[in-house]
Amino acid sequence: MPTQQLDQHGCLKHFLTIEGLPRHLLHSIMDQADVLLGRDDQIINKAPLLSGKTVIQIFFEDSTRTRTTFEIAAKNLSANVVNFNVRTSSTSKGEHLLDTLRNLEAMHADLFVVRHPQSGAAHFIAGQVKPHIAVVNAGDGRHAHPTQAMLDMLTIRRHKGDRFPELRVAIVGDILHSRVARSQIHALNILGAAEVRVVAPKTLLPVHVEKLGVHAFNNMEEALQDVDVVMMLRLQKERMEAALLPSERAFYTAYGLTRARLALAKPDAIVMHPGPINRGVEIASDVADGPQSVILHQVSYGVAVRMAVLGLLGKKEKRGSDAC
Ligand code: NCD
């Protein structure tokens, strides 16, 4: 990776990808999020950690959950939050990305939360900003979505306990275009999950996907046998260049998560989805709203995980060799 996200003490400088992060750092983010959530999920919503700091959210792609939960997280930490709307800004008048960044820096930003349709955009920005600014990748193309993966890991840990080495996880759907799947796979492997299965038609699996440390399945029934966690994904139609699927209907028939299929997983298996969900395309409504679904917990935990990440990054200039 061109931009190092860890400093010489092994502390987070930027949060760009899960790939290559040490296991203890992933646990430390989850531990801090756990403290913020408490036992009853009542998130601590006033902490002074980012008081006097300015967080600018730069979103070149639409978002509901990610942008809103980052905003709540930053406000909970007492930061000033600015939502830089690319559609109504001079970027849409052709201003170069670097000029936009220089202007935002001149407004005394401390943290940039960036979403961009191009893979590698967050790394590029992290390589350009002034040293005091931290960059958080809120999703770049099909490459990475590290805070989503961390809130997913926290959701698993809070429902299944800290026993990743015993867990079998199936990630189902459009693996090819999914930054979420890539970040989840890295996180699950770093945390030592017993098995990570990816499930999709051949056209929606990257070539040599096994190199990521997963088992590939084209058959949904086989893939769901005895899994502890089912992670569904949306079909990323905006990233599909050609007709990779005969139809949504055909996809649902072969890969849709129905109650009958979920019954093949362990009886206490949990069902996850990063959202936005497409009912009747990748998941049946009664499964999405059913007792095994933890989809809305994922959203709530997203606030705590993003507070934990912003908090770690916001502390960076005060760090000595012992603090991380
Ligand atoms: C995901 C994203 O944007 O990468 N959603 C999210 O962040 N909650 C997944 C998706 O768009 O399907």
Side-chain angles (χ1 to χ4, degrees), residues 37-313:
L37 278 165
R39 223 172 284 155
D40 54 359
D41 288 2
Q42 284 300 313
I43 197 152
I44 294 172
N45 63 9
K46 249 324 159 229
L49 215 58
L50 295 187
S51 167
K53 305 238 179 211
T54 299
V55 175
I56 302 192
Q57 306 218 74
I58 315 171
F59 276 59
F60 293 87
E61 243 187 34
D62 294 336
S63 166
T64 306
R65 281 148 290 269
T66 305
R67 196 179 53 72
T68 316
T69 52
F70 262 115
E71 181 168 348
I72 295 170
K75 285 182 173 161
N76 285 352
L77 295 173
S78 311
N80 300 318
V81 185
V82 178
N83 285 303
F84 177 69
N85 189 340
V86 175
R87 287 225 185 106
T88 56
S89 74
S90 293
T91 311
S92 64
K93 296 184 194 163
E95 185 174 69
H96 193 283
L97 174 62
L98 284 179
D99 288 321
T100 308
L101 286 177
R102 295 288 166 255
N103 279 273
L104 295 174
E105 279 177 344
M107 296 171 205
H108 302 291
D110 300 287
L111 280 128
F112 286 155
V113 177
V114 181
R115 168 168 287 196
H116 200 284
Q118 244 169 303
S119 301
H123 283 82
F124 172 77
I125 291 171
Q128 300 295 330
V129 292
K130 298 222 166 84
H132 76 279
I133 294 183
V135 177
V136 185
N137 184 3
D140 62 328
R142 54 169 92 173
H143 170 241
H145 194 350
T147 56
Q148 178 67 46
M150 287 314 306
L151 72 90
D152 292 336
M153 296 308 112
L154 180 68
T155 306
I156 295 175
R157 205 175 81 164
R158 284 178 77 90
H159 285 88
K160 296 278 161 205
D162 193 356
R163 45 185 202 92
F164 285 92
E166 294 165 39
L167 299 181
R168 281 206 171 83
V169 181
I171 307 175
V172 185
D174 186 358
I175 312 288
L176 180 64
H177 300 101
S178 176
R179 54 194 174 210
V180 173
R182 272 174 195 72
S183 289
Q184 288 170 334
I185 291 168
H186 287 305
L188 287 164
N189 282 330
I190 291 168
L191 293 169
E195 187 185 2
V196 184
R197 301 175 179 179
V198 291
V199 194
K202 282 205 179 76
T203 50
L204 293 182
L205 282 177
V207 275
H208 308 308
V209 67
E210 293 84 359
K211 287 196 179 148
L212 293 173
V214 297
H215 291 142
F217 289 75
N218 304 123
N219 181 292
M220 181 71 163
E221 281 73 18
E222 276 172 32
L224 290 182
Q225 296 285 340
D226 293 328
V227 296
D228 301 275
V229 180
V230 187
M231 300 169 114
M232 300 303 297
L233 299 170
R234 182 178 67 87
L235 291 176
Q236 307 264 309
K237 279 179 277 181
E238 71 277 23
R239 285 183 237 289
M240 289 189 194
E241 277 136 31
L244 294 173
L245 277 177
S247 70
E248 284 183 357
R249 185 89 225 132
F251 181 80
Y252 186 72
T253 306
Y255 296 96
L257 187 64
T258 57
R259 265 162 56 184
R261 287 200 171 119
L262 181 57
L264 300 167
K266 292 227 180 105
D268 61 350
I270 54 171
V271 174
M272 301 172 62
H273 195 308
I277 62 172
N278 285 310
R279 294 168 186 264
V281 178
E282 68 266 355
I283 189 164
S285 259
D286 58 357
V287 174
D289 303 328
Q292 287 166 268
S293 166
V294 296
I295 294 171
L296 291 177
H297 288 275
Q298 289 173 263
V299 180
S300 310
Y301 299 164
V303 176
V305 158
R306 288 171 175 133
M307 283 175 78
V309 169
L310 292 175
L312 276 176
L313 293 170

Side-chain angles (χ1 to χ4, degrees), residues 7-11 315 318-324:
D7 66 15
Q8 72 270 30
H9 308 301
C11 303
K315 279 197 296 201
K318 295 193 208 102
R319 257 173 219 157
S321 53
D322 57 332
C324 219

